[in-house]
Amino acid sequence: MKPLRLGFIGCGMIAQAHAAAVRLLQADGLVQLVAAADPDPTGIDRIAAIAGPIDHRYEHGRDVIACDDVDAVVLITPTRFHRDAIVAVCASGKPLFTEKPLAPTFDVVTEIRDVIEDAGIACQVGFQSRFHPINRRLATLVASRELGAVMGYALRDDQYWPTGDVVAGHTSWRSDRAEAGGGALLEHSIHSCDLLTWLFGPTERVYATTRSVFGYSVEDTAALTIHHVDGVVGNLVSIFNGVEGREERRLEVFFERGTVEITTDFLVGAPEDSMLIQRPGQAPERLDPSALRRADFAAQGLDPDREVWVYQYLAHRAFASALASGTAPTPNVRDAFAAHALVDAAYRSAASNQPEQVRR
Ligand SMILES: NC(=O)c1ccc[n+]([C@@H]2O[C@H](COP(=O)([O-])OP(=O)(O)OC[C@H]3O[C@@H](n4cnc5c(N)ncnc54)[C@H](O)[C@@H]3O)[C@@H](O)[C@H]2O)c1
């Protein structure tokens, strides 16, 4: 199999995680990073330092899309630039791996969904949390109904404020509503909105409150009560906090015959990782996250001791494998739309102070 030749558009902070994933996948012979665009050439230098030399370096993303050596485009610019790049990728017909959120506003998210579906291009969205072995184990427990039906859940999802004023070295577009479209909920916890929809099915109604304690034009605090179509109810609390380095998601799920508590981070082997399963009349089962990860990697045909530090590795591996086998990659634009629809309903609810229906 010939490696999938990738072109990056945007070489900022999270592009470094993509580059780390690509470095390993290049060693696997699955992908090759052949082109990168960023108006700031030092960004391309940083990516090359991680992933290795890049043949084609551009200022504009359109040149990556047009480059004959690029088989698939990886879109990693600030969110407000996604729409125009996606329209151009769709016109080229090339497969696309795009970062979340798709766009700052739900209208544009809807337009992007339609453009991608009309073009029929292969598209995967950067919800790498779905590839976390602990989340995958929970998904198996939910689907198998081993603990009975899901009753409800509580999810607390937080991260340090990823903006230059709070953590030096970051860009600051995330704290500006005109540029980002939303704060903790849209920019960060859209991962959780995707996970909740993936785990517990489509959502239909949400009641939400938001706050902007740090004083930016986007929220740093959001509290949601979420109703899923099949009856599951739960709470999501999303926070951008001031504790540098902190990023953590804690989810408690209540089943008819058991409970599961998981804590996860974005890094592979993070010290916070944990999974506890409790069943009636039995001793609590505390799973070893490292054993869980090794088993998960082995089940996917990976070396269990492979030195991987970001789940973007598994996400890019899935993208390259799907394209090689001619299957549609996931999570796809429909999945992203469902997560965005939940965020959109939450923002409408926070504005109206009423529960709001999730759009379809
Ligand atoms: N999946 C995740 O966990 C995750 C994590 C962080 C960020 N993200 C998303 O990734 C995207 C990028 O975030 P970031 O933190 O890397 O931002 P960033 O500000 O650190 O970097 C963005 C880079 O894009 C470049 N850029 C700006 N306009 C461009 C254009 N038109 N063409 C090409 N390059 C351009 C900038 O010069 C910069 O180097 C955002 O949509 C963000 O929400 C996803």
Side-chain angles (χ1 to χ4, degrees):
M1 190 182 94
K2 275 188 9 190
L4 180 71
R5 297 170 303 173
L6 299 175
F8 280 13
I9 304 181
C11 298
M13 189 265 292
I14 203 64
Q16 296 175 67
H18 288 269
V22 161
R23 182 176 60 79
L24 292 180
L25 289 163
Q26 287 181 155
D28 295 342
L30 283 178
V31 309
Q32 211 184 330
L33 180 60
V34 297
D38 198 300
D40 173 6
T42 61
I44 303 179
D45 291 341
R46 269 196 312 268
I47 296 313
I50 298 169
I54 299 169
D55 289 348
H56 306 283
R57 299 166 60 112
Y58 303 112
E59 189 181 343
H60 294 290
R62 62 173 179 256
D63 296 320
V64 165
I65 298 167
C67 179
D68 286 338
D69 288 344
V70 170
D71 299 320
V73 174
V74 184
L75 181 56
I76 331 173
T77 63
T79 307
R80 68 189 184 283
F81 300 117
H82 290 177
R83 184 230 171 245
D84 289 356
I86 289 173
V87 168
V89 175
C90 285
S92 77
K94 291 185 179 181
L96 169 69
F97 186 120
T98 178
E99 265 302 354
K100 49 45 67 181
L102 291 180
T105 66
F106 190 60
D107 284 353
V108 177
V109 168
T110 307
E111 180 194 356
I112 286 173
R113 178 200 59 182
D114 294 345
V115 166
I116 290 175
E117 292 198 338
D118 289 350
I121 62 163
C123 173
Q124 184 170 323
V125 182
F127 291 124
Q128 73 274 4
S129 300
R130 285 198 191 195
F131 296 89
H132 196 301
I134 291 178
N135 292 330
R136 281 161 53 87
R137 178 83 173 91
L138 174 60
T140 307
L141 275 173
V142 171
S144 71
R145 294 177 71 94
E146 183 190 323
L147 303 173
V150 175
M151 301 165 67
Y153 61 79
L155 169 52
R156 189 264 300 134
D157 186 17
D158 72 275
Q159 185 183 38
Y160 65 93
W161 243 115
T163 201
D165 295 350
V166 182
V167 180
H170 275 272
T171 49
S172 289
W173 57 268
R174 283 179 178 81
S175 49
D176 181 349
R177 178 166 301 279
E179 298 196 20
L185 182 60
L186 176 65
E187 169 58 23
H188 178 61
S189 293
I190 193 151
H191 283 294
S192 291
C193 293
D194 173 61
L195 271 183
L196 293 173
T197 310
W198 178 57
L199 288 168
F200 309 124
T203 56
E204 69 176 5
R205 196 168 69 256
V206 60
Y207 178 61
T209 305
T210 58
R211 301 184 71 199
S212 299
V213 181
F214 276 64
Y216 298 120
S217 54
V218 294
E219 83 287 352
D220 44 46
T221 307
L224 281 61
T225 298
I226 301 166
H227 295 248
H228 293 254
V229 169
D230 74 354
V232 173
V233 289
N235 289 131
L236 165 62
V237 174
S238 168
I239 310 261
F240 271 161
N241 59 61
V243 186
E244 186 176 346
R246 185 183 161 90
E247 43 190 349
E248 201 183 286
R249 180 185 292 128
R250 181 167 181 77
L251 173 59
E252 299 177 2
V253 187
F254 297 85
F255 297 77
E256 288 171 296
R257 294 187 300 279
T259 64
V260 178
E261 295 176 22
I262 64 173
T263 306
T264 53
D265 194 335
F266 283 86
L267 302 178
V268 176
E272 300 90 346
D273 284 359
S274 71
M275 183 164 198
L276 174 69
I277 306 176
Q278 290 171 285
R279 300 174 175 86
Q282 293 185 29
E285 183 188 4
R286 205 171 280 283
L287 283 81
D288 172 3
S290 144
L292 198 63
R293 183 178 69 251
R294 290 168 54 82
D296 188 66
F297 278 27
Q300 295 180 63
L302 291 167
D303 173 1
D305 295 318
R306 191 81 195 267
E307 217 176 285
V308 178
W309 65 272
V310 284
Y311 287 106
Q312 275 87 354
Y313 169 69
L314 297 181
H316 274 285
R317 187 170 177 272
F319 181 61
S321 305
L323 295 185
S325 64
T327 53
T330 57
N332 59 29
V333 71
R334 285 250 142 208
D335 300 316
F337 182 83
H340 275 282
L342 177 55
V343 171
D344 163 67
Y347 284 154
R348 283 187 285 111
S349 170
S352 68
N353 202 21
Q354 300 289 332
E356 295 284 349
Q357 294 296 121
V358 176
R359 292 179 174 138
R360 307 219 171 276

